[in-house]
Amino acid sequence: QVQLVQSGAEVKKPGASVKVSCKASGYTFTSYGISWVRQAPGQGLEWMGWISAYNGNTNYAQKLQGRVTMITDTSTSTAYMELRSLRSDDTAVYYCARHSGTSAGAFDIWGQGTMVTVSS
Amino acid sequence: QSALTQPASVSGSPGQSITISCTGSSSDVGSYNLVSWYQQHPGKAPKLMIYEGSKRPSGVSNRFSGSKSANTASLTISGLQAEDEADYYCCSFAGSSTYVFGTGTKVTVL
């Protein structure tokens, strides 16, 4: 079945970096874009950025520009999101989500989420 | 990019209909027919319920419907059921390959 499986929970210190993976299966990886979305504890969803799995083009949310990098490895059908210079307010569940094939404006398949905790 | 505005909470009794609003601007909701809605149960990943404002993915109950007028999109749940109790988020394309989510609405079934 079509699914996205993310890497496990991470605990990082302020100033460190974290890299979360998102492995796709059940569909042609390069035919769909992937967005990353995060959710701080008890808070709403925040769109972080998008990557085309076809050509690697990216677009990041303005507030994260310079701290976030999204890449894909088409040989393993895996997307990665790296966030640098971590702060306590980066503590959140991070989701990858596939852009729908029928509508660019929707995310039809989501990963299970990866909890990233930033604490000294 | 500011989050789209949703009511913090909406409630209704089983069988009733409720509507959740999602207000944006002429830069997002008002400019594109690309509003989607997501249902999120506690501790779970969001689930796509509506896309392109009013279309339902396969498998989503027809009790869920969407609409849009100017800068405001709406999600209506008819025949409210206990399993509909969850958080709901709208999301809009905002141009230049960017997206913005709503603030989220907690739906309570009384």
Side-chain angles (χ1 to χ4, degrees):
Chain A
Q1 72 279 27
V2 176
Q3 61 179 355
L4 299 172
V5 178
Q6 299 183 221
S7 49
E10 303 262 14
V11 179
K12 297 291 183 180
K13 294 192 182 302
S17 299
V18 69
K19 192 171 186 178
V20 179
S21 67
C22 169
K23 183 171 178 58
S25 62
Y27 71 94
T28 302
F29 181 66
T30 52
S31 295
Y32 298 81
I34 294 281
S35 271
W36 288 86
V37 177
R38 68 179 180 178
Q39 185 171 37
Q43 303 301 308
L45 302 173
E46 178 187 12
W47 181 80
M48 300 177 64
W50 161 89
I51 182 165
S52 165
Y54 173 71
N55 58 17
N57 285 351
T58 57
N59 200 33
Y60 304 135
Q62 194 167 8
K63 69 174 286 187
L64 295 173
Q65 291 270 6
R67 285 207 302 138
V68 68
T69 300
M70 296 174 188
I71 62 171
T72 57
D73 180 346
T74 56
S75 69
T76 60
S77 298
T78 303
Y80 297 90
M81 185 283 299
E82 181 181 41
L83 189 60
R84 300 176 292 278
S85 301
L86 289 169
R87 308 187 291 245
S88 58
D89 62 357
D90 291 318
T91 294
V93 175
Y94 288 75
Y95 294 101
C96 58
R98 188 185 81 165
H99 286 231
S100 167
T102 52
S103 173
F107 314 122
D108 62 351
I109 303 294
W110 292 66
Q112 83 276 19
T114 296
M115 181 71 214
V116 175
T117 303
V118 182
S119 174
S120 54
Chain B
Q1 184 74 41
S2 299
L4 309 176
T5 301
Q6 299 180 229
S9 63
V10 173
S11 61
S13 299
Q16 287 187 330
S17 293
I18 62 169
T19 296
I20 302 167
S21 62
C22 168
T23 301
S25 69
S26 57
S27 298
D28 38 61
V29 175
S31 286
Y32 308 97
N33 195 27
L34 291 174
V35 173
S36 51
W37 288 89
Y38 301 87
Q39 176 192 66
Q40 186 180 35
H41 286 109
K44 300 295 187 182
K47 174 187 176 183
L48 177 64
M49 305 302 284
I50 295 287
Y51 67 97
E52 291 181 1
S54 61
K55 298 179 180 179
R56 276 188 312 275
S58 173
V60 172
S61 171
N62 59 9
R63 297 186 299 103
F64 292 85
S65 61
S67 63
K68 193 190 88 166
S69 177
N71 296 339
T72 298
S74 299
L75 174 72
T76 297
I77 309 173
S78 57
L80 199 61
Q81 299 180 0
E83 69 222 43
D84 300 332
E85 187 161 293
D87 294 327
Y88 291 82
Y89 294 91
C90 60
C91 180
S92 177
F93 181 71
S96 301
S97 298
T98 66
Y99 298 82
V100 59
F101 279 95
T103 50
T105 298
K106 181 177 180 60
V107 167
T108 301
V109 180
L110 301 171

